Amino acid sequence: MFAVAMPRLEYVQVDKTNPRSHPDVVSPISAAIRKAREETGLTQEELAHLIGKVQSTVQKWEGGREPKLNTIAHLDETMGYRRGHILRLAGYVDDPVSVRDAIDTDPALTPGHKRIVLSAYDRALTEAADERSRSTSKPPTATRTRRS
């Protein structure tokens, strides 16, 4: 099986051989993650702690390295936003609930690729929900019964 990345609706060409030549150019997703984090008043370290990562990981995401789609969904929910908020801030979709519509109406995708991308998106949402439930679930407490 092969992996298909989320289609880019906006693309910035960056010279990766000399990262210092474009210090102010970051991907739309990276800029959106930073904006969402700043809107919530979290530091990189606080956000990293909430999602179980280290601060340098969040720093890399905001500096240009894009996280996986399930991580973006997890970031949305961790910061208290509706699913798709970061994608909306990045300009990929108009409304946080229209991610599926954006994929479905993208003229650059063939019907086969649309099915693959939608399947990956659904899988990412499920993984983010599973991750969230694992991180918030508490171990059962022992109950004592009285003998009569």
Side-chain angles (χ1 to χ4, degrees):
M1 179 165 217
F2 57 93
V4 175
M6 184 75 178
R8 294 183 188 266
L9 302 178
E10 181 179 329
Y11 183 74
V12 177
Q13 182 67 39
V14 178
D15 179 8
K16 295 188 182 218
T17 60
N18 185 4
R20 295 191 190 277
S21 65
H22 303 286
D24 298 329
V25 177
V26 295
S27 72
I29 290 289
S30 297
I33 291 170
R34 181 179 184 144
K35 183 174 182 178
R37 179 184 58 79
E38 289 174 346
E39 285 176 351
T40 59
L42 294 171
T43 64
Q44 288 180 345
E45 188 173 352
E46 290 167 338
L47 178 58
H49 178 72
L50 288 173
I51 60 172
K53 304 282 184 186
V54 294
Q55 183 267 337
S56 62
T57 301
V58 176
Q59 183 179 16
K60 288 176 186 174
W61 291 338
E62 291 182 3
R65 175 182 270 166
E66 294 183 5
K68 294 179 181 177
L69 191 57
N70 63 335
T71 303
I72 294 171
H74 185 64
L75 287 169
D76 278 335
E77 293 175 6
T78 299
M79 290 188 278
Y81 292 113
R82 288 180 21 201
R83 206 173 308 137
H85 181 72
I86 291 174
L87 295 175
R88 183 185 59 76
L89 287 176
Y92 287 105
V93 292
D94 294 331
D95 187 300
V97 295
S98 65
V99 174
R100 293 184 63 81
D101 292 337
I103 294 168
D104 197 39
T105 59
D106 188 341
L109 294 173
T110 65
H113 285 116
K114 286 180 187 179
R115 282 191 300 276
I116 292 168
V117 173
L118 287 170
S119 174
Y121 177 70
D122 290 338
R123 229 180 4 264
L125 295 177
T126 302
E127 289 173 11
D130 290 346
E131 179 69 29
R132 189 176 59 258
S133 68
R134 280 193 300 271
S135 67
T136 59
S137 64
K138 297 178 181 175
T141 57
T143 57
R144 297 181 99 185
T145 58
R146 287 185 125 185
R147 291 188 177 197
S148 323

